[in-house]
Amino acid sequence: MKPLKQHTIWGLRGSFILAATGSAVGLGNIWKFPYITGENGGGAFVLMYLLCIALVGIPIMMAEILMGRRARANPIMATAELCEHAGASKGWTTIGWMGVLAGLLILSFYSVIAGWTLEYALAALDGKFAGLTGETSQALFDGLLADSDLMLQWHSLFIAMTIAVLALGVTRGLESAVRWMMPLLFVLLLILLGYAIKEGEFVTSLRFMFSFKLEDLSWEGAQIAMGHSFFTLSLGMGAIMAYGAYMPSSQSVGKTVVIVAILDTLVALVAGVAIFAFVFATPGISPGAGPGLMFVTLPVAFGNMGAGLVIGSVFFVMVILAAWTSTISLLEPGVAYLNERFGLHRIFASLLLGTISWFIGLGSVYSFNDWSELQFLWGKNYFDSMDFIATNIMLPLGGVLIALFTGWKLRDEIILHDLKFESALVFRLWRPVLKFISPIAVLVILYNGIFPVLRAVLVE
Ligand code: PHE
């Protein structure tokens, strides 16, 4: 099977790893992972999460890369091409279409939260965290949520930053961006870790994150861990497939995926350990604060420690970088499609799709203030509805389809051809996991994501 056409391939070693890790490492790692760990009892949850990364995340990520790289095209055209080659129904192209749509939806609300990190980085630099207490910190955050104009401004800026990188192209934009942003992100994370070891309650934090108590293992925690393993590795929506199209053929898929999964997990764990070390070192605040952990609890810790001003700024700049390298991957599948299918210049393609996403995001901005009472899906506000549709339905559904398609539909010779750099063991292990274990596990996520809501509606 020939590639569709001459296609850009990232020449520099490591670019794919940096880009995929950039996509994976984001608000999911630094904002969400620590607070869901805090809410679900620490160590037991971390263990479940690691299991899900190994059994669901890694096999599906390999499948996505393989599909993108085999067809050397954006997810929509890649799935169409592979269907034709495999003699499979055109229905499978749903993978590509749904992926592009999911990317637009996720970007629409992701950039609202990412926008908050811009405001918080400025607040940290301005010294606004100094002497914060639980109440004043909550008031600071509530002030931001109530100010729709301010939130709109940051949401718009984040989308503009995303468009700017994509408009510059696959090499000058995407590849160059991840090549400086990712190393900087790692340096900032190491600074944080160093400071947490020196000044924070590091050992208490380690004990909290890694001490395993059987009674803490709950079925609900397991479901959350499964759903999160998907979101955090950017799976199920074609982001990794789109990047796979730029990956050199000589690179080993198996090794690459393991590196990306390890880096993604390490960032989540290190960020979590550092955050809890700061939180435990500050009297009067607790680790189980939920979504407010990063925007309410943590600033209190920063505002009451020695080098809090510097460390607070380092932290929020790091989160901005992490979110930025994720938002570009959310829009890339659609931009690549418009460019490759219709010859639309990437500048116009990214402007067009970025604007659509910005527009869909307006509802998320207002759902924290003017529209907070408005209910969309089953009693959820606009923001939660978007998050639910994209994260709980579209990503797992995309994941199941990708696993089934690569597991059952793609012929062995295609897969073997592309996995020629892998060991026989990788192949022998990977295919059955992809055929059986991953789809079943993801179906469980999907069922558990939708069923409670449906049941609530039916009972009403
Ligand atoms: N993986 C990103 C995070 O953890 C989110 C993301 C999901 C990015 C899907 C791209 C695609 O924040």
Side-chain angles (χ1 to χ4, degrees), residues 23-24 26-29 106 110 231-234 237 239 326 329-330:
S23 169
L27 296 172
N29 304 57
I106 297 179
Y110 198 91
F231 185 78
T232 189
L233 289 178
S234 307
M237 49 115 344
S326 295
S329 73
L330 284 163

Side-chain angles (χ1 to χ4, degrees), residues 20-32 102-103 106 110 228-240 264 322-323 325-331 333 391 395:
T21 307
S23 169
V25 170
L27 296 172
N29 304 57
I30 306 174
W31 171 59
K32 203 166 178 191
I106 297 179
Y110 198 91
H228 187 65
S229 66
F230 238 81
F231 185 78
T232 189
L233 289 178
S234 307
L235 298 177
M237 49 115 344
I240 298 295
D264 182 68
T325 49
S326 295
T327 55
I328 55 182
S329 73
L330 284 163
L331 210 52
T391 314
L395 292 190

Side-chain angles (χ1 to χ4, degrees), residues 21 38 172 192 221 243 249 343 375 391 422 424:
T21 307
R172 271 201 319 138
L192 280 175
Y243 281 1
S249 305
Q375 296 186 351
T391 314
E422 322 296 331

Side-chain angles (χ1 to χ4, degrees), residues 27-50 53 204-213 216-218 220-226 228-229 232 264-277 279-280 286-294:
L27 296 172
N29 304 57
I30 306 174
W31 171 59
K32 203 166 178 191
F33 178 76
Y35 89 72
I36 52 181
T37 304
E39 283 180 336
N40 290 284
F45 177 80
V46 173
L47 192 76
M48 275 308 304
Y49 164 80
L50 294 178
I53 295 279
T204 319
S205 173
L206 278 183
R207 215 174 284 139
F208 177 69
M209 289 272 291
F210 299 109
S211 69
F212 176 81
K213 286 193 250 75
D216 283 343
L217 212 56
S218 71
E220 201 202 338
Q223 290 159 28
I224 298 176
M226 277 201 264
H228 187 65
S229 66
T232 189
D264 182 68
T265 306
L266 265 184
V267 173
L269 294 178
V270 171
V273 168
I275 288 175
F276 289 127
V279 169
F280 285 128
S286 84
L293 181 63
M294 186 162 112

